[in-house]
Amino acid sequence: MRFFLVILFLMTVCVKINAQENEIDPIKIIIELVEEVAASNEDENSEIDLEQIYEQFANLLNNPVDLNTATRADLEQLYILSDFQISSVLEYIKNNGKMLSKYELAFVHGFDDALAENLYPFVTVASNYEYTARSDTAKFKDMISRGKHQIIARAKQLVEKQAGYKNDATTKFQGSPLSLYARYSYRYADRLKWNITTEKDAGEKYLDFISGHVQYDSKHFLKRLIIGDFQVQFGQGLVLWNGFGISKSVAGTTVRKRARGVYGYSSTDENKYFRGAAANMEFNKFNISIFASYKNRDATIADSTDKTFKTLQTTGLHRTNSEIGNKNSVSETALGGNINYEYKNFRIGISGMWHRFGNDYVRDLLPYNMFELNKSSNYNYSADVQWMWKRMILFAETAFDSNTKNASVVGATLGLEQNIQLSLLYRNYARNYQSLYAQGFSDGTKIQNEEGFFMTATFYPLRNLKFSGYFDIFAFPWLKYRINTPSEGYSYAFRIDYSLTDKIKMYVNVKQKSSKENYTPADEHIAQTVNKSNFHINCNINYALFGNLIMQNRIEYAAFKRGDEPREKGFMVFQDIAYHFTEFPLSASLRYAYFNTDSWNTCIYAYENDVLYAYSVPAYYMKGQRFYINLQYSVTKRIKLWLRASQTIYKNRESINSGATKIDGNKQTEIKAQIIIKL
């Protein structure tokens, strides 16, 4: 019966698939998936490195996940799948046997046609022979000679001159306004890859940042070995977590963190990585990861005599004499690891990390930050557990620092029915817990001084209708920046997605956050702690008029209220047009946006299409208009070109920014070009 259903399904869609298979642009799907991740992020404090998501999906194009042999960890590489959907795939194969085709995904509980179609380029049902031939029988000489090469080169520049480039500048940039990026990568299937990335930021004199690594993967005892730059993710992030991470999202896929262990680094953030060696090993039911790192970091030197430093610099910018003086001024040594034991549906892990700076860390302490890290060395360790039962996953982690202060998180994800998914999380972080590399679930920017409860739910009343949302309540037992008393707050978001047809999709998104902030009334000198509220609502519609023309409209309203001050308001509306020429290898996307907000307090963020592997999420604030056009031209199948131009014009400003980045006038224009060569 199951075989008959598969054949029937394939017969009904084969015409559509045959007609479209060659037309499907996986890169376009990646861009749409990344945009969805960016749009689902509701956490104003999170810094999403979308470049890593691009990289992950691009890797999956060359090495798709084999659905018939995939573990839960393999399926977790597909960021957009919830725990409920992953469990559904594993249950489907367990109950029905191996899939005959990847198009069976449409039959799996929790999947619809749109989700399945988005995943088709990144999954496969390769035979055992194909999988073995690709992974286990490759010879070393083949791995270093028969892989795929890729070269990316990118340049961008602001057209208007900033104050730092003028001869009479008080703070002068030492380099040109041209920003450069180049990356060379090599990959042989899922066994061997290496990467070199270089970058020069605008205002820097030379190619200022160079990163690289070699990564070897196998199916034997030594699962992975990395030499060079790498990132680490353990447990739920209370000890160590580099790279991509979102806390609050209506998607529900971000509550339980999905640790990747150790993996090669190829992005351009000049801080969130380690440099040295890392390895992952597997022995029976034990999985072991270890790493050692030594690198230099930017810091503000407090005393030039004994070289103590008071602040770690994280911008990665080296444009002025002072920024150049802070470059690589402090060394850092780090050691760490993780041991996981897994038995059936239960997993327990232990993580640890120690790091030391080459100089004494003596920061300027104020009441609000008196419990933050203020010493040259620190270590953290934790225990985490995870238990799966049917469509429920329970997880927890408790961590300690060298002062035995702790941070804990416990949560659950549940698939209550085929169309209802629920996630719960409680966190409690001591005010004096110290961890430099922690990135767990939080409302703030640090895993410290916070207690809260988060709940998110997704409900599919109809196949083409989805309700999703979250509610978070939090408290800060100690002071925070610009909050002179212990405080509390809440935030919520609610989203409705509706697909009228395959070509017309829309959503409405509402979010609000209420918290505390210091406020000094007029004619007074003592700050009070008052309520602060941010509210946003946006409506978005995406529709295809015909095959190659896609339109998108959005309107968003924002409001801000603090204490007894008048309410501030703002709105933004944009029109997107994307067109792919059928008889000419050219694609174009453009946007026109109009915005009007009272101040920065009501700024509105909106994701923009950009050249591949880059991303743009500008803030729309004050009054003005913005447009961009993004062109992609395929010279051959192996050579692609991008050209992007964007401009913001403000109606009520005579200058933009301040200090060395100040622009005289009301326009800011950026030009960007990129080439990708695959060999």
Side-chain angles (χ1 to χ4, degrees), residues 14 211 278 333 443 483 511 525 548 581:
C14 65
S211 173
T333 303
D443 178 81
I483 306 177
K511 65 177 180 179
H525 303 285
N548 298 325
F581 294 86

Side-chain angles (χ1 to χ4, degrees), residues 429-585:
Y429 309 143
R431 65 181 182 179
N432 43 7
Y433 177 72
Q434 299 174 348
S435 179
L436 189 63
Y437 287 98
Q439 190 183 329
F441 189 101
S442 69
D443 178 81
T445 57
K446 296 181 174 65
I447 306 306
Q448 182 185 60
N449 184 35
E450 182 174 333
E451 182 179 10
F453 178 78
F454 179 85
M455 178 178 68
T456 180
T458 303
F459 174 50
Y460 297 84
L462 301 172
R463 189 173 181 83
N464 59 345
L465 180 64
K466 180 176 74 171
F467 294 90
S468 55
Y470 72 75
F471 180 79
D472 185 38
I473 184 170
F474 47 85
F476 307 112
W478 187 245
L479 317 184
K480 289 177 64 67
Y481 178 64
R482 298 183 66 183
I483 306 177
N484 289 341
T485 64
S487 60
E488 67 286 326
Y490 67 87
S491 63
Y492 69 84
F494 183 75
R495 175 165 163 162
I496 303 174
D497 289 83
Y498 179 65
S499 299
L500 185 62
T501 67
D502 290 341
K503 296 183 179 181
I504 303 177
K505 300 177 182 180
M506 60 190 72
Y507 69 78
V508 177
N509 192 53
V510 180
K511 65 177 180 179
Q512 181 176 7
K513 180 177 180 179
S514 178
S515 57
K516 304 290 185 179
E517 186 173 281
N518 291 343
Y519 169 65
T520 304
D523 301 326
E524 294 189 21
H525 303 285
I526 299 177
Q528 304 174 3
T529 301
V530 298
N531 290 324
K532 180 182 72 171
S533 175
N534 292 83
F535 175 82
H536 287 257
I537 179 171
N538 67 65
C539 303
N540 192 95
I541 180 170
N542 188 300
Y543 50 96
L545 296 182
F546 47 88
N548 298 325
L549 178 63
I550 298 176
M551 312 279 280
Q552 182 179 204
N553 305 92
R554 178 182 298 177
I555 182 169
E556 182 162 347
Y557 169 82
F560 174 83
K561 185 74 168 64
R562 176 172 51 201
D564 296 330
E565 291 183 325
R567 185 182 301 275
E568 299 180 24
K569 300 180 292 295
F571 75 91
M572 181 271 294
V573 58
F574 71 66
Q575 171 69 62
D576 281 359
I577 301 175
Y579 186 77
H580 175 70
F581 294 86
T582 55
E583 298 182 358
F584 193 67

Side-chain angles (χ1 to χ4, degrees), residues 22-183:
N22 294 329
E23 299 177 5
I24 292 177
D25 183 0
I27 300 301
K28 178 183 175 183
I29 294 178
I30 293 176
I31 292 173
E32 291 176 350
L33 293 176
V34 172
E35 182 175 0
E36 181 67 20
V37 172
S40 68
N41 177 39
E42 307 294 340
D43 189 355
E44 61 185 17
N45 292 318
S46 66
E47 298 179 1
I48 312 175
D49 190 351
L50 297 178
E51 186 176 348
Q52 292 192 15
I53 310 178
Y54 275 120
E55 182 73 18
Q56 180 69 8
F57 278 110
N59 290 340
L60 290 173
L61 282 179
N62 298 319
N63 302 281
V65 174
D66 188 341
L67 295 172
N68 287 331
T69 61
T71 63
R72 177 174 290 274
D74 294 328
L75 294 174
E76 287 177 352
Q77 297 180 62
L78 303 165
Y79 288 115
I80 60 175
L81 289 186
S82 66
D83 288 332
F84 168 78
Q85 291 163 336
I86 292 173
S87 296
S88 294
V89 172
L90 297 175
E91 286 181 13
Y92 181 89
I93 295 174
K94 179 180 179 180
N95 296 333
N96 299 286
K98 291 185 177 181
M99 290 187 179
L100 303 177
S101 167
K102 63 184 179 182
Y103 301 110
E104 283 189 62
L105 272 179
F107 290 137
V108 177
H109 291 320
F111 285 74
D112 55 23
D113 293 339
L115 176 60
E117 288 176 5
N118 280 339
L119 290 175
Y120 290 154
F122 313 108
V123 298
T124 186
V125 289
S127 66
N128 290 335
Y129 171 76
E130 292 173 323
Y131 187 80
T132 301
R134 178 168 60 92
S135 301
D136 294 340
T137 62
K139 297 180 180 179
F140 182 73
K141 65 177 183 179
D142 293 329
M143 288 191 286
I144 62 174
S145 62
R146 296 187 177 182
K148 297 180 179 180
H149 305 261
Q150 180 173 269
I151 299 172
I152 304 174
R154 181 190 309 146
K156 68 177 180 179
Q157 182 173 326
L158 287 178
V159 174
E160 294 79 14
K161 180 176 287 189
Q162 295 177 314
Y165 298 106
K166 297 180 180 179
N167 293 330
D168 59 348
T170 303
T171 303
K172 187 173 178 59
F173 294 147
Q174 299 301 303
S176 72
L178 183 64
S179 175
L180 298 173
Y181 167 90
R183 187 174 81 180

Side-chain angles (χ1 to χ4, degrees), residues 1-9 92 96 100 104 107:
M1 181 65 180
R2 173 173 168 269
F3 179 79
F4 173 76
L5 289 174
V6 173
I7 296 299
L8 179 62
F9 173 75
Y92 181 89
N96 299 286
L100 303 177
E104 283 189 62
F107 290 137

